[in-house]
Amino acid sequence: MDHAADAHRTDLMTITRHVLNEQSKHPESKGDFTILLSHIVLGCKFVCSAVNKAGLAKLIGLAGETNVQGEEQKKLDVLSNQVFVKALISSGRTCVLVSEEDEEATFVDPSLRGKYCVVFDPLDGSSNIDCGVSIGTIFGIYMVKDKDNVSLDDVLQPGKHMVAAGYCMYGSSCTLVLSTGNGVNGFTLDPSLGEFMLTHPDIKIPKRGKLYSVNEGNAKNWDTPTAKFVEKCKFPKDGSSPKSLRYIGSMVADVHRTLLYGGIFLYPADKQSPNGKLRVLYEVFPMSFLMEQAGGQAFTGEQRALDLVPTKIHQRSPVFLGSYDDVEEIKALYAAEEKKA
């Protein structure tokens, strides 16, 4: 890195400046989305700071409660959830919040309501906190028709109706990846400035990748198309090189790598979890939105992931997402299996 040149870099594209530039393309915009996003960014900075000192501040370990998914909550989970709920409500731009950690949706007090619904997983991959593996926050944003008359139906929409989605990864660096429906951009937190700087402009996933990401420990319970696809990754019959397996077990980290390097991330349904394990609203939809915006695909085993219409806020679904051609292969295998049936 050229530190001397870096020191004189004055044209700094921060995430706020980037979003304001996008806002200027829409003269009718009142800046509500920009304000909402600034509160999400603040939440990410707070959680990043808490993650970095989790061991020192005794934030790791269990909080002694179990969340709606039956998972024991980490102290950091509870803190992250509180941070995002408070940040989103205080923005004055939200009306309904759905968090992985809360059993029920949160309806914002009418005096603080805005026109956006936010669905989020405040700390995805939190079982990895104690061993220092990358974890992250995932979020998706919908717009409501009438903020004074909101219901769960405003959140239970297909993912294709999202107006924005993103994730923040707390790893060797803190990276925020965002799409507002006009491509995907990545920003990295500069600790010396306390600002997210544009470091990955206009991310495009390669059309085909050399990596696959799946928990092979579940292989004995997989359906036939998934088993055939993974077999093909390991033992290609066309003379091509086998794909490399990369699996962290933290969705944000696995999807981030897939987005940058290409390949496919698989979390199929299996005999133990016939409906899949990942949650539709705040895991499957935001990541699928980002993949499509970057030129990839997302598929549930039955349909385009973003066409799924959820009926419950914590509904689960299988998902296959990544490079366009790789997802085409798994779609072909499911189509062939359906023909047999």
Side-chain angles (χ1 to χ4, degrees), residues 18-19 22 25-26 33 37 139-141 159-166 177-185 202 204 286 288-295 304 306:
H18 175 81
V19 173
E22 289 296 308
K25 296 173 188 172
H26 304 277
F33 180 77
L37 199 68
F139 62 91
I141 303 172
K160 63 186 175 186
H161 292 166
M162 277 184 172
V163 293
V177 174
L178 175 72
S179 174
T180 56
N182 188 25
V184 181
N185 292 282
D202 197 22
K204 295 287 182 209
S288 300
F289 187 91
L290 290 165
M291 277 298 170
E292 286 200 6
Q293 286 293 320
R304 175 191 176 207
L306 292 179

Side-chain angles (χ1 to χ4, degrees), residues 31-49:
D32 286 345
F33 180 77
T34 307
I35 291 167
L36 172 59
L37 199 68
S38 72
H39 280 70
I40 291 174
V41 167
L42 180 63
C44 291
K45 287 178 185 174
F46 186 101
V47 173
C48 177
S49 172

